Amino acid sequence: MTPADTAVFIDRLARARASMEANGVDTLLVSVGSDLPYLTGYEAMPLERLTMLVVPRHGEATLVIPRLEAPRVVEQPGAFSLRPWNETDDPVAIVAGLVSAPAVAAVGDTMWARFLVELLGHWPTDRTRYVRGTAVMNDLRMRKDAAEIAALQAAGAAADRVAAQLHAGEIPMVGRTEAEVSADISARLLAEGHDVVNFAIVAAGENAASPHHHPGPRVILDGELVLCDFGGTMAGYCSDITRCVHLGPPSNEIAEAYDVLHAAHAAGVAAGVVGAQCQDVDRAARKVITDAGYGEYFIHRTGHGIGMEAHEDPYMVEGNSLPIAAGHAFSVEPGIYVAGQWGMRLEDIVVAADGGPLSMNHANHSLVTLG
Ligand code: ZN
Ligand code: ZN
Ligand code: ZN
């Protein structure tokens, strides 16, 4: 994020205020967690010292921050002002003094409890009703704006480059342990521009039947299917991709199952249109797998939302009737897992748009044969 992005934060704060208006919230308090960088561009370290953005429904927002942290803030004139506090100040009193006791205060989920408890002394519950910050922020956070979609695209492209290296055989497999290959993929995610690696699952043979397998000392053998699911955070936004490779030609059983998986993935992506329900994505992918006779082997939901966090709303799961809106970003990741034998998953990140689903990933969808 650069100072040139000030307009982005002014726009997000304006939308937060519109949401406060719609939800009857007078004051929004955002402390550590991803809502703070979303609204200000500033990511606070999860310190014991108070950092809090105070957003009145009317009037300027103020970032109350320890004086020693203030130099790390890129100021966004017109979006919020800074109120540094000194080591001997009472920062909760400063927060409470910025606005008169609100009738309804929305409090971020990840504010330390100690600050809320102290705040109750200033704004007691007979005057102020407290609601969760998600009441204001969740819908906003789900609908990615243009800057966020660009960031997801850049992170997706970086993950795609690692997938291309995997498909090109540049990441040695046979004779290495899952943990070694995981470390190799992690290094490549960083080399391609990620700031942090969030996970790099490498699961060989029967281990791939466990969807969140932890890569370990298991040595990868010729003739096996290897599932690789990896992602990281780049400029504040997450990537997440799964590709499988086969070391040597696959059996007919695996090749046929993979064709089903590929068709299920395509059906899930195609169902991710504006106005459909989140559960429709799950149903579309699951129907292909179930109709082919593998239904009992698809043991998880089809996808999760993604953005500043690797897993966030909305979830693509049966029972979620939330309508898909333009800007919703989510994974489509059906899998087939035969316990004790093999497993496979195919995952891309998709953003719903008025013109149809946009994929953030473009790496080859096939079960690539190596060696
Ligand atoms: Zn994944
Ligand atoms: Zn995922
Ligand atoms: Zn495809």
Side-chain angles (χ1 to χ4, degrees):
M1 298 275 178
T2 66
D5 295 322
T6 299
V8 167
F9 301 114
I10 290 174
D11 173 61
R12 290 177 188 169
L13 280 160
R15 285 188 282 133
R17 286 195 176 89
S19 174
M20 289 166 71
E21 191 85 43
N23 290 287
V25 170
D26 301 297
T27 302
L28 170 67
L29 300 176
V30 174
S31 189
V32 293
S34 51
D35 285 345
L36 185 63
Y38 176 80
L39 290 173
T40 66
Y42 173 66
E43 187 165 357
M45 285 193 283
L47 297 175
E48 77 290 1
R49 293 186 178 96
L50 177 141
T51 297
M52 200 175 295
L53 181 71
V54 181
V55 186
R57 198 198 302 180
H58 307 286
E60 198 188 27
T62 305
L63 182 59
V64 179
I65 185 167
R67 188 169 295 282
L68 76 165
E69 300 296 329
R72 295 180 53 235
V73 179
V74 177
E75 295 202 47
Q76 309 289 349
F80 60 89
S81 61
L82 278 188
R83 173 64 172 89
W85 58 272
N86 299 312
E87 298 283 37
T88 54
D89 290 340
D90 175 353
V92 176
I94 291 171
V95 167
L98 285 170
V99 291
S100 51
V104 179
V107 176
D109 277 14
T110 50
M111 178 192 297
W112 300 132
R114 51 180 289 203
F115 298 135
L116 180 56
V117 169
E118 286 178 33
L119 193 63
L120 291 171
H122 297 271
W123 298 345
T125 52
D126 56 357
R127 296 219 305 266
T128 298
R129 188 163 66 85
Y130 290 86
V131 299
R132 285 176 56 185
T134 51
V136 172
M137 295 301 297
N138 205 33
D139 188 51
L140 239 73
R141 288 287 306 280
M142 281 195 293
R143 294 172 196 252
K144 271 63 183 176
D145 60 31
E148 295 186 284
I149 294 169
L152 285 167
Q153 257 160 350
D160 279 352
R161 292 194 290 275
V162 178
Q165 293 160 19
L166 173 70
H167 285 151
E170 291 169 20
I171 304 176
M173 291 277 168
V174 177
R176 289 170 109 192
T177 66
E178 293 170 340
E180 285 168 336
V181 174
S182 174
D184 192 338
I185 288 174
S186 298
R188 289 166 188 267
L189 284 169
L190 296 174
E192 294 300 340
H194 287 84
D195 302 304
V196 211
V197 175
N198 295 331
F199 50 85
I201 297 171
V202 175
E206 74 289 348
N207 283 347
S210 169
H212 279 169
H213 173 68
H214 186 78
R218 160 83 151 74
V219 174
I220 299 169
L221 304 174
D222 198 22
E224 291 188 320
L225 184 154
V226 183
L227 182 156
C228 302
D229 180 354
F230 48 90
T233 305
M234 187 166 132
Y237 285 79
C238 295
S239 65
D240 186 0
I241 187 172
T242 307
R243 291 295 185 269
C244 296
V245 291
H246 207 281
L247 307 176
S251 65
N252 288 341
E253 180 195 15
I254 284 183
E256 284 167 18
Y258 195 88
D259 286 345
V260 172
L261 178 71
H262 190 173
H265 181 265
V269 172
V273 295
V274 172
Q277 296 179 354
C278 290
Q279 64 187 356
D280 294 335
V281 172
D282 185 84
R283 287 175 179 175
R286 198 168 302 278
K287 182 176 192 313
V288 173
I289 289 176
T290 302
D291 286 354
Y294 297 95
E296 67 182 288
Y297 304 115
F298 180 14
I299 54 177
H300 54 71
R301 67 190 175 208
T302 295
H304 54 83
I306 186 167
M308 300 180 96
E309 297 182 51
H311 287 189
E312 59 181 41
D313 279 322
Y315 292 93
M316 303 294 131
V317 61
E318 180 66 33
N320 188 0
S321 58
L322 180 78
I324 295 173
H328 280 185
F330 49 88
S331 70
V332 176
E333 50 178 307
I336 301 174
Y337 310 94
V338 181
Q341 296 184 46
W342 49 264
M344 54 179 64
R345 178 163 68 252
L346 179 59
E347 174 179 28
D348 284 342
I349 302 305
V350 170
V351 176
D354 290 324
L358 298 172
S359 188
M360 301 293 105
N361 296 106
H362 304 284
N364 189 346
H365 284 161
S366 307
L367 179 62
V368 171
T369 300
L370 297 179

